[in-house]
């Protein structure tokens, strides 16, 4: 196994858990949103505002195609990356996917003052978006509920999952 893809809704902890997991496994850590903003040389809000979500999704797919050339890497995907079928295909053939499930209430409280995510408009829309995505997140290879876990415990559980 060379690439571990962390899947999950906005604010579910993909980046913070991914960083720790990569350090633990002595893998490289890559945050997909970070790569996109570097490539576009602007923020995700700006990409959405200037060019629209479809353009963002193209960039996201392009950067994912680059990532799958890597080895021994933990990837924190964006919350919508796994939703695109062509991304799921790439992920499936390149490594293992783990859905970090997290209760919406926790996510909403974490993102209450966050203005960096264009799709985080209001709690009702976040709930609708999450509900529409659940059935797709369920297609991942592994799922863990990280709602009540510390980052260290989440890393421990992921390690147990992938070495079982
Ligand atoms: C998105 C999630 C964001 C980012 C973009 C779109 C989504 O990533 O890719 O704002 O569609 O859920 P995070 O999950 O890291 O916030």
């Amino acid at each position: 196994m060379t690439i571990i893809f962390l899947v999950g809704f906005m604010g579910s902890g993909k980046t913070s858990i991914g960083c720790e997991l990569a350090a633990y496994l002595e893998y490289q850590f890559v945050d997909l949103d970070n790569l996109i903003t570097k490539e576009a040389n602007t923020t995700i809000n700006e990409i959405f505002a200037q060019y629209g979500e479809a353009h963002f999704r193209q960039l996201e797919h392009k950067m994912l195609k680059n990532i799958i050339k890597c080895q021994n890497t933990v990837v924190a995907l964006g919350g919508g990356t796994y939703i695109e079928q062509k991304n799921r295909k790439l992920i499936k053939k390149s490594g293992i996917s783990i859905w970090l499930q997290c209760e919406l209430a926790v996510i909403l409280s974490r993102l209450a003052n966050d203005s960096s995510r264009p799709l985080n408009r209001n709690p009702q829309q976040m709930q609708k978006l999450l509900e529409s995505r659940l059935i797709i997140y369920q297609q991942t290879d592994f799922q863990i509920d990280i709602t009540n876990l510390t980052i260290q415990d989440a890393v421990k559980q992921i390690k147990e999952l992938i070495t079982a």
Side-chain angles (χ1 to χ4, degrees):
M1 166 223 321
T2 59
I3 309 185
I4 299 171
F5 296 96
L6 299 183
V7 173
F9 203 57
M10 291 169 255
S12 57
K14 300 179 294 288
T15 302
S16 39
I17 292 171
C19 261
E20 286 284 321
L21 180 65
Y24 182 84
L25 296 171
E26 298 185 353
Y27 275 23
Q28 166 188 219
F29 174 70
V30 173
D31 182 277
L32 182 57
D33 283 340
N34 214 0
L35 283 192
I36 296 168
T37 53
K38 275 193 189 146
E39 166 83 2
N41 199 25
T42 186
T43 63
I44 291 181
N45 271 331
E46 273 304 306
I47 301 171
F48 269 70
Q50 282 200 26
Y51 308 104
E53 182 173 349
H55 178 76
F56 173 80
R57 297 298 170 200
Q58 280 172 10
L59 275 178
E60 186 176 48
H61 182 64
K62 179 178 162 197
M63 301 319 288
L64 181 64
K65 281 203 288 196
N66 287 343
I67 288 177
I68 60 166
K69 296 174 192 152
C70 297
Q71 293 200 332
N72 296 347
T73 302
V74 174
V75 183
L77 297 171
T81 319
Y82 193 76
I83 304 307
E84 304 279 312
Q85 193 185 23
K86 60 186 179 189
N87 294 340
R88 284 203 298 284
K89 277 193 182 161
L90 287 180
I91 291 165
K92 188 104 199 138
K93 72 164 197 193
S94 318
I96 63 166
S97 53
I98 305 173
W99 174 24
L100 305 183
Q101 277 178 270
C102 186
E103 277 172 20
L104 182 64
V106 172
I107 288 175
L108 291 178
S109 74
R110 275 190 202 147
L111 299 186
N113 298 313
D114 176 88
S115 56
S116 68
R117 291 170 172 89
L119 297 179
N120 177 22
R121 297 194 191 100
N122 60 59
Q124 290 74 22
Q125 287 200 11
M126 289 286 272
Q127 182 174 2
K128 255 176 93 176
L129 187 61
L130 176 60
E131 282 170 0
S132 72
R133 289 177 170 181
L134 291 177
I135 194 158
I136 301 178
Y137 287 150
Q138 282 164 10
Q139 296 176 27
T140 44
D141 298 316
F142 298 103
Q143 299 87 28
I144 64 168
D145 188 339
I146 50 112
T147 307
N148 296 308
L149 298 184
T150 62
I151 293 175
Q152 287 72 23
D153 286 341
V155 168
K156 236 168 107 184
Q157 281 204 19
I158 293 172
K159 194 207 130 215
E160 281 163 16
L161 270 182
I162 61 180
T163 53

